[in-house]
Amino acid sequence: MSGLLAGKRLLVTGVITDASIAFSVAKLAQENGAQVVLTGYGRLSLVERIAKRLPEPAPVIEVDVTNTEHLANLADRVREHVDGLDGVVHSIGFAPQSCLGGGFLDAPWEDVATALHVSTYSYKSLAMAALPLMSAGGAVVGLTFDATKAWPVYDWMGVAKAGLESASRYLALHLGKQGIRSNLVAAGPLRTIAAKSIPGFDQFEDAWTERAPLGWNLTDQEPAARACLALLSDWFPATTGEIVHVDGGYHAIGA
């Protein structure tokens, strides 16, 4: 086998359609020599169908990141397909509609708690569930959307992403002694299923396509996926707690 991830075994979450960043990660990972196991929840048959579109059909296991039993059994279920893991990709996020589209001041705690549980706390939960399968040199990589600013319509998901970015730094701190890295990729806006669920998402689209120094393609997931692969590879052995921006340079310019 040859490629950037030759011999690597990866667990990839968040594949819903072939337009998702996670699908692009799984596809490129396989093309670069990795074995891939996918997770799905709710629409498992859909994920299984999408998995067949990869260069090599990938096994799919059910994982609800808010279900303690699913997390407790994750290592055993992954071992049915691979004998260990070298990397975990966290591409999971959800917020009830009350938490998005301008509802920041009115969203009830119950909905906010759901957003934080699924989108933030699950980063740590997934990493710990996979930890028995990992050894020194392993990597956890998550997807974020620049949380240094308050974005119109993003509301509590923005807060959840800020928590995710902090959680990644703390995971880097606590897992570093075991030789495991934790990094995030901050992708610009992409037309995924998740994006379509955000009312007013077109505000992001217009801003990026007009002002990103390198330009921005709203339908090209590959640049973000490539960054994930680089962070999962052995080419960043001393990088952890980092956020790599893949947004055409938008984050670097003034408002």
Side-chain angles (χ1 to χ4, degrees):
M1 254 188 318
S2 63
L4 185 67
L5 299 179
K8 299 289 189 186
R9 302 151 299 175
L10 306 180
L11 182 69
V12 179
T13 68
V15 172
I16 300 176
T17 73
D18 54 9
S20 60
I21 298 173
F23 179 86
S24 190
V25 170
K27 177 177 180 291
L28 290 176
Q30 286 187 343
E31 292 173 350
N32 280 273
Q35 288 180 275
V36 173
V37 177
L38 304 179
T39 76
Y41 174 66
R43 292 175 284 185
L44 206 61
S45 61
L46 175 59
V47 181
E48 291 170 341
R49 191 159 61 248
I50 296 299
K52 294 176 182 176
R53 299 181 186 176
L54 292 168
E56 295 290 334
V60 180
I61 62 175
E62 184 177 22
V63 179
D64 172 3
V65 289
T66 67
N67 185 312
T68 55
E69 184 177 346
H70 282 197
L71 293 169
N73 296 332
L74 182 138
D76 289 337
R77 287 180 290 150
V78 171
R79 283 193 188 98
E80 295 174 6
H81 306 286
V82 293
D83 58 1
L85 287 176
D86 302 290
V88 175
V89 178
H90 180 280
S91 184
I92 299 170
F94 171 76
Q97 282 298 305
S98 66
C99 296
L100 299 162
F104 183 84
L105 298 178
D106 301 315
W109 165 243
E110 292 76 12
D111 288 352
V112 172
T114 296
L116 296 176
H117 194 175
V118 177
S119 310
T120 307
Y121 186 77
S122 68
Y123 188 72
K124 189 278 297 187
S125 300
L126 183 67
M128 294 308 295
L131 191 59
L133 299 166
M134 302 182 75
S135 56
V140 183
V141 175
L143 276 300
T144 188
F145 187 79
D146 187 3
T148 61
K149 303 173 182 66
W151 299 103
V153 311
Y154 209 45
D155 294 330
W156 284 102
M157 183 55 83
V159 176
K161 291 298 187 183
L164 174 66
E165 293 178 7
S166 183
S168 178
R169 290 188 288 269
Y170 277 97
L171 207 62
L173 170 67
H174 290 286
L175 295 187
K177 63 190 71 175
Q178 299 180 50
I180 296 172
R181 296 164 286 137
S182 172
N183 294 290
L184 300 178
V185 171
L190 292 163
R191 288 177 180 164
T192 62
I193 290 290
K196 290 176 181 177
S197 69
I198 302 173
F201 181 77
D202 57 335
Q203 295 180 50
F204 295 122
E205 296 183 347
D206 295 342
W208 252 263
T209 55
E210 292 171 6
R211 302 186 62 240
L214 291 176
W216 186 246
N217 187 335
L218 295 159
T219 60
D220 186 5
Q221 291 79 23
E222 189 165 314
R226 286 189 178 195
C228 291
L229 262 63
L231 291 169
L232 290 164
S233 77
D234 296 329
W235 282 92
F236 281 88
T239 299
T240 193
E242 187 58 87
I243 301 173
V244 177
H245 290 81
V246 182
D247 64 351
Y250 186 94
H251 74 283
I253 63 175

